[in-house]
Every structure is written in C-alpha cells, then in structure tokens.
Amino acid sequence: MENTGYSYPQDNVALYPTGQYDRLKDDGTSVTTTTVVNMGPTVPPRRDHIIWSIFSTVYMNIFCLGLMALAFSIKSRDRKVLGDMEGAHHYGSTAKVLNIIALVLTILIVALIIGLIAAGVIEFHYAASNYFENSDFKGK
C-alpha cells in the first residue's frame, strides 16, 4: 500500500492553546497540607440474604416462608443502612433460617411427588398387565 499523500496529525498536540494562559510563578513559599483520616477497624458487612429470599419467594414459596424471609431480609438491609448492625444481624439470621426451612420443605415435597408418581406408574403398569392377562383381549 502506498501513501496517497495523506499526512497524519502529530501525536503531541496540545488540548488547549498554550499562549493564552500564564504559568504560576514558583516562589518557594508554598505550603503543602496533608489530611489524615482515622478509619476504625474494618467490620465485614452483615449478610441479609436478599437474593436467596427473592428466589425462595419466586420458586419455593411453601407456606409463604419465602415471602416472610424476603420481609426479614428487607428489614435487615434497612437496619444495616441505619447503622444498627445488631438488628441487621438478628433480622438476617431469621431470614436465613426461614430460607433454609423453605428449601428443605420444598425438597421434601418434590421428592414426595416424584416418589408418588413413580409408585403410581409402577402400580398402573402392574394393574394394566394383570387386566390384559386375565381378560379375553388377545390383541387381534
């Protein structure tokens, strides 16, 4: 490829015109000030389990435990914003317990439904095979 006469701009172009501004004179009497901010010990934030509570409300809201967990999670987040870490911990732990109970009950109910469906299919197959063996239906 040949250069067709286009000239690229320089890399060090000033962003503002330098001729309009005067530079400050350094007379050596400037004072540098420093600011020190004392920070307390870092405390890990309290967990409010809000995401888990939202999933419990949407997917596993058995006996409205997910909705109750969501309410306690929101209360925990409000307490954390207000600076009441003890209250945030209390509400957060209650939300965690409600989420665990909702999860366990949902798993048990799903396992029970799967077991009942499997037992019903097996019983239906057994009853259907006995019916066709004992009847005059020969499948002509």
Side-chain angles (χ1 to χ4, degrees), residues 65-127:
L65 290 175
L67 187 62
M68 289 174 25
L70 182 63
F72 277 100
S73 294
I74 292 171
K75 284 183 179 184
S76 173
R77 183 161 285 193
D78 290 343
R79 292 293 178 185
K80 189 168 35 172
V81 168
L82 291 174
D84 181 15
M85 292 302 161
E86 188 63 35
H89 176 69
H90 173 71
Y91 285 124
S93 63
T94 304
K96 180 181 176 181
V97 168
L98 289 172
N99 282 323
I100 289 172
I101 293 171
L103 178 66
V104 168
L105 287 177
T106 302
I107 289 172
L108 288 176
I109 288 176
V110 168
L112 179 70
I113 290 172
I114 290 172
L116 289 174
I117 289 173
V121 168
I122 292 171
E123 183 63 33
F124 178 74
H125 176 69
Y126 178 72

Side-chain angles (χ1 to χ4, degrees), residues 1-139:
M1 294 183 105
E2 289 184 28
N3 190 356
T4 59
Y6 180 76
S7 63
Y8 293 99
Q10 295 178 358
D11 289 338
N12 55 355
V13 177
L15 297 177
Y16 55 88
T18 56
Q20 296 177 354
Y21 299 103
D22 294 333
R23 292 199 173 265
L24 292 174
K25 294 183 174 78
D26 186 18
D27 57 359
T29 60
S30 63
V31 177
T32 304
T33 59
T34 59
T35 304
V36 176
V37 178
N38 293 325
M39 304 280 291
T42 58
V43 177
R46 298 289 182 179
R47 307 269 321 241
D48 54 8
H49 306 287
I50 191 127
I51 302 297
W52 190 7
S53 298
I54 290 171
F55 281 118
S56 291
T57 301
V58 172
Y59 295 113
M60 304 176 280
N61 199 12
I62 185 143
F63 304 124
C64 293
L65 290 175
L67 187 62
M68 289 174 25
L70 182 63
F72 277 100
S73 294
I74 292 171
K75 284 183 179 184
S76 173
R77 183 161 285 193
D78 290 343
R79 292 293 178 185
K80 189 168 35 172
V81 168
L82 291 174
D84 181 15
M85 292 302 161
E86 188 63 35
H89 176 69
H90 173 71
Y91 285 124
S93 63
T94 304
K96 180 181 176 181
V97 168
L98 289 172
N99 282 323
I100 289 172
I101 293 171
L103 178 66
V104 168
L105 287 177
T106 302
I107 289 172
L108 288 176
I109 288 176
V110 168
L112 179 70
I113 290 172
I114 290 172
L116 289 174
I117 289 173
V121 168
I122 292 171
E123 183 63 33
F124 178 74
H125 176 69
Y126 178 72
S129 64
N130 281 340
Y131 175 76
F132 287 121
E133 286 177 2
N134 297 331
S135 69
D136 292 333
F137 180 74
K138 298 296 181 191

